[in-house]
Amino acid sequence: VHEYIHLLVRHSELKLPVWLNEGMAEVYSTIQPFGGNIVLGAVPKGRAYALGQSKWLPIEKLTSVNHESAEYNEKDRVGLFYSQSWLLAHMLMLDPLLRPEFPKFLGAVAGGKSTDEAFRMAYDLTPAEIEKRLGAYYRSDSLMGVRFDTKFQKMETSEPEPADPVAVEVATASLLSAIQRHEDAAARFKSLIATYPDRHEVHAAAGQAAWARRDREA
């Protein structure tokens, strides 16, 4: 579910800061059936523990983390970043006092406003005031969730079949391209084209990979 939320955000063309993108995904990752309904808002495994074991990032630091930051990439730091991002997103999305203005906040951030500006626009609060609320939210006796009056539907799926070896190779090469290992992807596609010159999907995927690395001639 966490990764599916990232997919929805990407295809909705929402430009979100890393903390909000990860925080929202963490909040939605707890969605589960309960008593014939669907509930949202539980604490993801390990997040409360991480928050209790580490000194929190100042909110200005948390909201400025990008994909190159140590807090996002180093193993001993990323746990706190995810946990604090989850808690802040949980508060903004589900706290009864702040929840009504969350769409306005999300719209402001997605529209290019900084997190600090969006705090003021949606909640009329400074980052320091949000940080103070977040500490109180963490120390509260309980957290709010949401119960949706619906339930998960069963889906009919076809019987699994062995994967086409060519499709597997194409998917692997495409994944290399997606994580920007462009040289590895190009080498694999070159080999695939030599081996399967008549498979159109090999050429199509190779073309997409070339476009991703801005190799217009290829």
Side-chain angles (χ1 to χ4, degrees), residues 1-7 9 16-32 39-51 62 72 78-91 93-94 102 143-144:
V1 173
H2 180 109
E3 298 304 328
Y4 182 63
I5 296 302
H6 286 326
L7 185 68
V9 167
L16 303 181
V18 175
W19 78 267
L20 184 56
N21 198 2
E22 297 297 347
M24 286 176 54
E26 283 288 275
V27 171
Y28 279 113
S29 73
T30 66
I31 196 167
Q32 58 187 301
V39 295
L40 173 71
V43 180
K45 185 177 179 180
R47 296 306 178 209
Y49 178 81
L51 290 169
L62 176 71
Y72 187 75
V78 70
L80 176 63
F81 170 72
Y82 270 78
S83 299
Q84 209 171 331
S85 297
W86 159 75
L87 185 66
L88 180 54
H90 193 289
M91 182 179 75
M93 293 169 64
L94 300 178
F102 182 71
L143 299 181
M144 297 295 292

Side-chain angles (χ1 to χ4, degrees), residues 21 41 48 65-66 76 80 86 97 100 103-104 113 146 155 166-167 182 191 197 199:
N21 198 2
V65 167
N66 58 42
D76 60 341
L80 176 63
W86 159 75
L97 295 177
K104 184 177 180 180
K113 299 296 183 183
V146 176
M155 294 178 61
V166 179
H182 296 305
S191 175
R199 293 291 294 263

Side-chain angles (χ1 to χ4, degrees), residues 118-132:
F119 283 151
R120 293 183 173 88
M121 290 175 63
Y123 306 111
D124 195 25
L125 295 171
T126 65
E129 290 170 328
I130 289 287
E131 187 170 41
K132 184 177 180 179

Side-chain angles (χ1 to χ4, degrees), residues 56-72:
W56 290 14
L57 298 171
I59 195 162
E60 292 85 357
K61 180 66 175 179
L62 176 71
T63 57
S64 65
V65 167
N66 58 42
H67 290 106
E68 286 72 46
S69 299
E71 289 77 11
Y72 187 75

